[in-house]
Amino acid sequence: QFYQVAHNFLPSDGVATYVNTGNWSTKAIAEARRYGGVQVAASSEDAQFSYIPSEAGWDVAEDSVYLHYTSNNTIFGTQYRTEPTVSMPLVCDASSDFLSRPLDLDRYGLIYAGAQKNIGPAGATVVLVRDDFLQTRRADLPTMMDYGTHAAKLFNTPPVFAVYMVEKVLRWLDDLGGIPAIQVVNQQKADLLYGRIDRTAFYSGTARADSRSLMNVTFRLPSAELDAQFIAEAKANHLLNLKGYRTVGGIRASIYNACPMEAVEALVSFMDDFEAANG
Amino acid sequence: QFYQVAHNFLPSDGVATYVNTGNWSTKAIAEARRYGGVQVAASSEDAQFSYIPSEAGWDVAEDSVYLHYTSNNTIFGTQYRTEPTVSMPLVCDASSDFLSRPLDLDRYGLIYAGAQKNIGPAGATVVLVRDDFLQTRRADLPTMMDYGTHAAKLFNTPPVFAVYMVEKVLRWLDDLGGIPAIQVVNQQKADLLYGRIDRTAFYSGTARADSRSLMNVTFRLPSAELDAQFIAEAKANHLLNLKGYRTVGGIRASIYNACPMEAVEALVSFMDDFEAANG
């Protein structure tokens, strides 16, 4: 989607503003440059993407056709606390925190989100696009890549199983009380886990405190050896997929909507035991 | 895929040859024209796409970077009996008959096939691309649309469920004796059904005899009213999805790899009963 957005909405003589907060932002910027002007308002690359640059310091091109941001960064465990307040329409890659908290939809031209975190199985992507923003797309797009094609009708054979599962997930979320209800649970899960990390010096969070993600909690132990031992022993205790992304190492606990509080409690309990034995 | 092929392989100053045998060919031609020159070697549009134009009459641009054909046309019930023998690499949209019969892979630069007919559930597409053909693609493609990206590594999160099911289908096909074995069954199913259609004048096949598809068998009854009655009564007899494509009407029996001989036998038996009652 990130290249498709630029292909549709960034004219060759126009400019779009991007905020660079990680791998996906970096890729989105590189693809957008093929189509038109790109201004990078801010980047946290100087500190291994460990924080979300404060909006007060952004250098936004005022004539931007949109401002693109990545609301949550799975690899680095960072997340925007608040939505940007710029004057142009927002375009958001919400792949890893969509449906985890309410969004102020009036600010957005387009939101895209791969299903595989909070929405359903891999193989579908949700796109929300505002009618008046859609009208600003360029002409002569390849039919399949034109958001107008898909807004108008079902053009291609859809990934039926993925869509079926998305419907199940949405009903589950609705029965739970919807996004406001899951937001409360997500905050509780994150508070519990970050609280444990901060309680002693044995564990240290890798994201700056004001930029911590409620979806992906990244932290380290005192050494890479202890990181590896932690991951191995956690696995033996049925706590899986805790290894940090290969380029950054450390520990990453992904606590998406589908992750219950009990799983976070089990992880925290294991962290207590592991520190008692190795701290 | 049909636009992606042209985007990758058709230079703006080059030419590709297309054979137009139906809806998908027509779409492929329209998308290819965005990128470079397109020569239409032959078209059966003059007769509602009811036949495959004989290769002897094709007007092929000899400097074509590829020749594109659609091996089977689901809507019109036509299929190439033999593979084209032109000098340039073939590009084939094999979406609706892939894995139904052997292909002479040496002739092809690229084959693409949506999974949802013979391969697995909707949501995945199989692409076979020859190494030396891949090297002829243009530079500066959007990363996601560049076949080289996907040939080099797993770039995006794949549609896991669809891929899992494809693996199950391939094992099933392998256990059955592979493509040569299923080809025999497919021929038997089609022979039985076309044999029934031709046995009396009540039913009439819509595709020209030399172009009949082994996957999609299209036919009509003496009137549109009888078509509708046939479809309704068939449904009451648990014979489903027999309605022809909305733009062409009539009856369409899709007898892909997964359709057993017993289903075709049940349909033929129903056709006998229906004719006895209404013929």
Side-chain angles (χ1 to χ4, degrees):
Chain A
Q1 299 294 324
F2 51 76
Y3 102 85
Q4 195 174 349
V5 164
H7 194 180
N8 274 254
F9 297 108
L10 179 51
S12 55
D13 60 352
V15 62
T17 296
Y18 281 69
V19 185
N20 189 5
T21 55
N23 274 31
W24 291 104
S25 306
T26 302
K27 288 183 183 182
I29 290 165
E31 300 295 326
R33 289 207 159 110
R34 301 179 189 280
Y35 297 101
V38 170
Q39 175 145 333
V40 177
S43 170
S44 51
E45 194 172 6
D46 58 344
Q48 292 82 49
F49 295 118
S50 61
Y51 68 98
I52 303 293
S54 164
E55 191 180 332
W58 290 2
D59 182 17
V60 175
E62 282 310 318
D63 55 343
S64 292
V65 290
Y66 60 79
L67 180 133
H68 181 286
Y69 79 108
T70 308
S71 52
N72 184 73
N73 302 279
T74 56
I75 296 173
F76 305 101
T78 62
Q79 186 179 27
Y80 284 70
R81 277 296 152 84
T82 56
E83 298 163 84
T85 56
V86 293
S87 58
M88 65 283 304
L90 295 175
V91 169
C92 181
D93 177 353
S95 291
S96 55
D97 66 355
F98 193 62
L99 301 184
S100 76
R101 59 181 179 178
L103 294 176
D104 180 7
L105 295 181
D106 288 346
R107 302 187 193 182
Y108 293 85
L110 189 146
I111 299 172
Y112 60 96
Q116 64 268 21
K117 311 298 185 188
N118 283 331
I119 317 172
T125 300
V126 170
V127 177
L128 304 184
V129 57
R130 180 178 298 283
D131 280 338
D132 56 4
F133 187 68
L134 182 62
Q135 299 315 317
T136 68
R137 72 194 188 278
R138 65 210 283 170
D140 293 327
L141 290 159
T143 308
M144 187 72 180
M145 289 298 112
D146 183 345
Y147 283 116
T149 302
H150 306 285
K153 64 169 184 177
L154 189 62
F155 177 68
N156 57 310
T157 304
V160 180
F161 175 78
V163 172
Y164 173 79
M165 289 302 297
V166 168
E167 201 259 352
K168 298 272 184 209
V169 171
L170 293 180
R171 286 194 189 281
W172 167 81
L173 183 56
D174 205 35
D175 289 347
L176 219 70
I179 293 175
I182 201 82
Q183 181 185 30
V184 170
V185 178
N186 285 332
Q187 188 69 54
Q188 289 170 342
K189 290 187 296 182
D191 286 348
L192 179 64
L193 190 44
Y194 283 117
R196 175 60 196 90
I197 289 168
D198 293 341
R199 196 162 59 72
T200 64
F202 187 70
Y203 300 106
S204 52
T206 54
R208 205 171 69 185
D210 68 357
S211 306
R212 284 172 162 182
S213 167
L214 304 192
M215 298 284 105
N216 312 97
V217 178
T218 53
F219 58 98
R220 294 184 184 288
L221 280 71
S223 72
E225 291 68 32
L226 281 168
D227 284 344
Q229 187 187 336
F230 180 93
I231 292 161
E233 292 188 18
K235 190 173 176 183
N237 283 274
H238 311 297
L239 296 162
L240 307 181
N241 292 320
L242 287 166
K243 192 171 179 178
Y245 191 75
R246 60 189 152 72
T247 56
V248 296
I251 314 295
R252 174 174 59 171
S254 290
I255 52 174
Y256 296 116
N257 283 1
C259 174
M261 175 59 89
E262 291 71 22
V264 178
E265 288 169 349
L267 174 59
V268 165
S269 171
F270 172 77
M271 288 169 73
D272 287 342
D273 294 347
F274 189 87
E275 182 176 352
N278 300 281
Chain B
Q1 300 293 325
F2 49 78
Y3 100 86
Q4 195 175 349
V5 165
H7 194 180
N8 274 252
F9 298 107
L10 178 52
S12 55
D13 61 350
V15 62
T17 295
Y18 281 69
V19 185
N20 189 6
T21 55
N23 275 31
W24 291 104
S25 307
T26 302
K27 287 184 182 180
I29 289 165
E31 299 295 324
R33 286 196 209 276
R34 302 178 189 281
Y35 297 102
V38 171
Q39 174 145 332
V40 178
S43 171
S44 51
E45 195 173 4
D46 59 344
Q48 292 83 49
F49 295 119
S50 60
Y51 68 99
I52 302 293
S54 164
E55 190 179 333
W58 289 3
D59 182 18
V60 176
E62 282 311 318
D63 55 345
S64 291
V65 289
Y66 59 81
L67 180 133
H68 181 286
Y69 80 108
T70 309
S71 53
N72 184 73
N73 302 278
T74 56
I75 295 174
F76 306 101
T78 63
Q79 186 179 28
Y80 284 72
R81 276 296 152 82
T82 56
E83 298 164 83
T85 56
V86 294
S87 59
M88 66 283 305
L90 295 175
V91 169
C92 181
D93 177 354
S95 291
S96 54
D97 66 357
F98 193 63
L99 302 184
S100 76
R101 57 180 181 181
L103 294 176
D104 180 7
L105 294 181
D106 288 346
R107 302 187 194 183
Y108 292 85
L110 187 146
I111 299 171
Y112 60 95
Q116 65 268 19
K117 311 296 186 190
N118 283 332
I119 316 170
T125 299
V126 170
V127 176
L128 304 184
V129 58
R130 179 176 299 283
D131 281 338
D132 56 5
F133 187 68
L134 182 62
Q135 300 314 320
T136 68
R137 72 192 188 281
R138 63 210 283 170
D140 292 326
L141 291 159
T143 308
M144 186 71 181
M145 290 297 111
D146 182 346
Y147 283 116
T149 301
H150 306 285
K153 65 170 183 176
L154 189 60
F155 177 68
N156 56 309
T157 305
V160 180
F161 176 78
V163 172
Y164 173 80
M165 288 302 297
V166 168
E167 201 258 352
K168 297 272 184 208
V169 171
L170 293 179
R171 287 195 188 280
W172 167 82
L173 183 56
D174 205 36
D175 289 347
L176 218 69
I179 293 175
I182 200 84
Q183 181 185 30
V184 170
V185 178
N186 285 331
Q187 188 70 54
Q188 289 170 340
K189 289 186 296 183
D191 286 348
L192 180 63
L193 189 46
Y194 285 117
R196 175 60 194 91
I197 290 168
D198 294 341
R199 196 163 59 74
T200 65
F202 186 70
Y203 300 106
S204 52
T206 55
R208 205 171 70 185
D210 68 357
S211 305
R212 284 173 161 180
S213 168
L214 304 193
M215 297 283 107
N216 312 96
V217 178
T218 52
F219 58 99
R220 295 183 183 286
L221 280 72
S223 71
E225 290 69 33
L226 281 168
D227 285 345
Q229 186 187 336
F230 180 93
I231 292 162
E233 291 188 19
K235 190 172 175 184
N237 283 275
H238 312 296
L239 296 162
L240 309 180
N241 292 322
L242 286 167
K243 192 172 181 177
Y245 192 74
R246 59 188 154 74
T247 56
V248 297
I251 315 293
R252 175 174 59 172
S254 289
I255 52 173
Y256 297 116
N257 283 2
C259 174
M261 176 58 90
E262 291 72 22
V264 178
E265 289 169 349
L267 174 60
V268 164
S269 171
F270 172 78
M271 290 168 73
D272 287 342
D273 294 345
F274 190 88
E275 182 176 353
N278 301 280

